[in-house]
Amino acid sequence: MALETRLLRQVLRAHLIADTDVKALADTRIFGSHLSDADVQTVLYPLVVIQFLSGFARWHRGVQSQSFELYAYSKADQDEASELYDTVFNSYQQSRVELAGIPNVCGICRETQRPVDGWNDKIGAWFARGRWVVNATG
């Protein structure tokens, strides 16, 4: 059976929500894509966005490598965005990600590019953005 992208996104999100250190900063504000214009000003910050980029599946469809960008956003300041990113780093780096409700789907995350700092004019928030890859099976 092929590993579905939506399931992998759910596993990555659930892993961060289950981490007490991440939850202390962002609660459950972990999103699988950037917010729509209508939602951008209505959510609380800080928050995390996991934005899938590209990847590939092995010929037998059960294993894939998926690259993604991880954004940690803050309305307060750059330090808060960086603190959230570092907390997520500690949760993901070389860690097994899985979700009990999704059997046989698991992966290993690693950072491929250290975070860059920035300001997003559209939402009026600071961010720390790094690049990651998850090698997953399911």
Side-chain angles (χ1 to χ4, degrees):
M1 178 175 184
L3 177 59
E4 297 178 29
T5 303
R6 67 183 179 83
L7 295 179
L8 182 57
R9 186 178 286 114
Q10 289 174 20
V11 167
L12 289 170
R13 183 176 182 272
H15 178 84
L16 293 181
I17 290 172
D19 185 294
T20 56
D21 292 333
V22 173
K23 191 165 184 167
L25 294 172
D27 196 33
T28 60
R29 295 182 301 274
I30 314 294
F31 298 95
S33 65
H34 278 89
L35 302 171
S36 70
D37 288 345
D39 293 332
V40 120
Q41 300 301 328
T42 63
V43 298
L44 297 175
Y45 290 79
L47 60 84
V48 173
V49 172
I50 300 164
Q51 184 72 47
F52 279 3
L53 296 174
S54 67
F56 62 92
R58 307 303 197 287
W59 65 271
H60 51 73
R61 301 182 305 165
V63 177
Q64 70 172 297
S65 292
Q66 176 70 55
S67 62
F68 61 96
E69 289 182 326
L70 189 137
Y71 289 83
Y73 282 106
S74 169
K75 292 267 189 174
D77 56 33
Q78 186 64 59
D79 283 345
E80 184 179 58
S82 295
E83 178 186 9
L84 178 55
Y85 184 92
D86 290 341
T87 304
V88 171
F89 174 87
N90 289 331
S91 182
Y92 269 167
Q93 182 67 7
Q94 293 301 106
S95 293
R96 180 182 172 107
V97 293
E98 59 189 336
L99 181 59
I102 303 176
N104 304 321
V105 175
C106 65
I108 300 288
C109 292
R110 75 176 171 85
E111 186 185 60
T112 60
Q113 182 186 42
R114 292 299 291 155
V116 295
D117 296 342
W119 172 260
N120 184 322
D121 286 327
K122 187 174 183 178
I123 64 172
W126 287 271
F127 67 84
R129 190 246 330 132
R131 291 208 170 124
W132 291 77
V133 67
V134 58
N135 294 306
T137 185

